[in-house]
Amino acid sequence: MRALRGALLLVLAVTALEGCGYHLAGRSTSLPPGIRRIGVPTFVNKTDRPELEQKITSYVISQFLTRGRYEILASEEGVDAVLRGEISTFVQSPVAINPQGRATRYEILVNARTVLVQTSDDKVLWQDDHFVFRRQYDVSLQAGGVISEEAVALDAVCNDFAESVVSSILEGF
């Protein structure tokens, strides 16, 4: 009786997870089968943060390449689909202050619009107009600590952004 109840619970859990959009590894992607080459041109940077578009684009390409299913090009030519992105917001804000009035923790927020379009007919395959990522980081009070810790936090935000975009596209969440 216990084994039967356990098996029933397992079937119910798997069914519930599939209904929520979770998929088991190895299942097919949400992209049409004719999509083999994806272009990822440099994202448009509408913020005042220099080089943000280069970091995000590079992490998106890297995430696609680690999945190994598609050939990724940094251009819109000769591809089956194009992923375009526009970064609209970059905000860095202090979230914790020490007794001397110096910030000891900051938060970085990045917001972007992304769309994957099939090149043969301009059909939108996937789109998200409000990708938002945040990452907090602690600041060392030593000289030079703020810059290096901000760079690490920014890389983490860009990587998290890229991982989520690519997962959403390939896994259909």
Side-chain angles (χ1 to χ4, degrees):
M1 185 66 164
R2 250 189 222 166
L4 179 62
R5 196 172 2 164
L8 181 61
L9 286 173
L10 179 61
V11 168
L12 288 173
V14 168
T15 303
L17 286 176
E18 284 187 355
C20 295
Y22 288 90
H23 301 286
L24 299 174
R27 291 189 69 175
S28 64
T29 71
S30 60
L31 296 180
I35 305 295
R36 300 213 189 311
R37 300 175 86 189
I38 299 174
V40 183
T42 303
F43 278 41
V44 174
N45 186 357
K46 299 254 178 164
T47 75
D48 59 359
R49 178 68 186 201
E51 301 178 4
L52 182 61
E53 72 282 3
Q54 294 168 358
K55 280 184 177 284
I56 285 181
T57 304
S58 141
Y59 277 107
V60 168
I61 290 171
S62 177
Q63 284 293 323
F64 268 118
L65 291 173
T66 60
R67 307 291 173 106
R69 295 182 194 168
Y70 302 95
E71 183 179 350
I72 307 301
L73 303 173
S75 116
E76 296 190 27
E77 305 206 9
V79 296
D80 305 309
V82 175
L83 177 64
R84 295 184 187 100
E86 182 178 288
I87 308 157
S88 57
T89 307
F90 175 88
V91 178
Q92 182 177 345
S93 308
V95 293
I97 309 286
N98 69 9
Q100 292 77 31
R102 297 195 61 178
T104 58
R105 181 179 264 289
Y106 282 89
E107 180 176 76
I108 293 175
L109 174 126
V110 176
N111 186 10
R113 178 181 185 276
T114 51
V115 61
L116 181 70
V117 178
Q118 186 168 311
T119 57
S120 62
D121 58 2
D122 288 331
K123 177 182 176 186
V124 173
L125 301 174
W126 178 88
Q127 182 172 346
D128 191 324
D129 291 335
H130 303 288
F131 252 87
V132 178
F133 283 88
R134 300 168 191 244
R135 173 69 58 121
Q136 292 188 7
Y137 66 98
D138 293 318
V139 175
S140 164
L141 296 179
Q142 300 171 355
V146 176
I147 302 293
S148 64
E149 291 165 20
E150 176 189 345
V152 169
L154 183 59
D155 281 343
V157 167
C158 292
N159 185 59
D160 289 350
F161 172 89
E163 185 176 2
S164 184
V165 167
V166 173
S167 291
S168 294
I169 291 168
L170 298 181
E171 297 169 14
F173 286 139

